[in-house]
Amino acid sequence: TPQHGGEDCSGPSTEQQSCNTDACPIDGGWSSWSPWRICTVECGGGTQDRTRSCNNPTPQHGGEDCSGPSTEQQRCNTNACPVDGGWSSWFPWSTCTVECGGGTQDRTRSCDSPTPQHGGEDCSGPSTEQQSCNTRACPNDFSLMDLF
């Protein structure tokens, strides 16, 4: 208030000025995790991973990056792999069933090289074989006296 006959002040009594005109920092935020990728193997233990991005929102104006990993990994398909069976070598031929006149002898093999495991296939083909043996004629056991 003016005193002793003074005049009122001229002009506005307040003044405004812009300040802090820089954009505010925006810290980054993670997106949702992607689906798990396909496992690296079908059996026996592999790995699979998934990812996420620092774009929800993207850091701006000096805001902080997302903290924590952008990828995750886990083991998968840890079940044992099927093992198909394999034949052993053939065992030796058995003794012929007769000494002459035609007989047979056998031999065998086993499905254990390796043994089928974890749903693997059995061996295919026969486990035994048979062949003819001692096919020559037997000698006659008669004397000349038997002819008369």
Side-chain angles (χ1 to χ4, degrees):
T1 308
Q3 296 181 359
H4 312 292
E7 301 262 335
D8 281 336
C9 296
S10 65
S13 62
T14 59
E15 187 174 19
Q16 282 187 331
Q17 173 180 321
S18 295
C19 62
N20 293 332
T21 57
D22 293 335
C24 292
I26 298 173
D27 293 340
W30 288 114
S31 66
S32 298
W33 286 103
S34 68
W36 288 104
R37 291 200 176 121
I38 294 173
C39 192
T40 55
V41 296
E42 292 184 16
C43 59
T47 58
Q48 62 186 158
D49 58 18
R50 64 182 183 171
T51 60
R52 62 182 178 173
S53 299
C54 186
N55 63 1
N56 190 29
T58 302
Q60 296 177 42
H61 315 297
E64 296 290 322
D65 280 340
C66 297
S67 63
S70 62
T71 62
E72 277 187 334
Q73 191 174 70
Q74 69 179 9
R75 290 187 45 79
C76 54
N77 293 345
T78 56
N79 54 305
C81 294
V83 176
D84 293 340
W87 289 114
S88 68
S89 297
W90 286 101
F91 291 100
W93 288 102
S94 66
T95 303
C96 191
T97 55
V98 296
E99 291 185 19
C100 61
T104 60
Q105 62 186 159
D106 304 314
R107 68 178 182 171
T108 61
R109 61 184 177 172
S110 301
C111 185
D112 61 3
S113 296
T115 302
Q117 296 177 27
H118 315 296
E121 297 291 323
D122 284 333
C123 296
S124 62
S127 62
T128 60
E129 282 186 335
Q130 190 174 69
Q131 70 179 7
S132 299
C133 56
N134 294 343
T135 56
R136 67 190 179 289
C138 295
N140 290 332
D141 287 333
F142 64 89
S143 68
L144 288 177
M145 296 302 285
D146 291 337
L147 294 177
F148 298 105

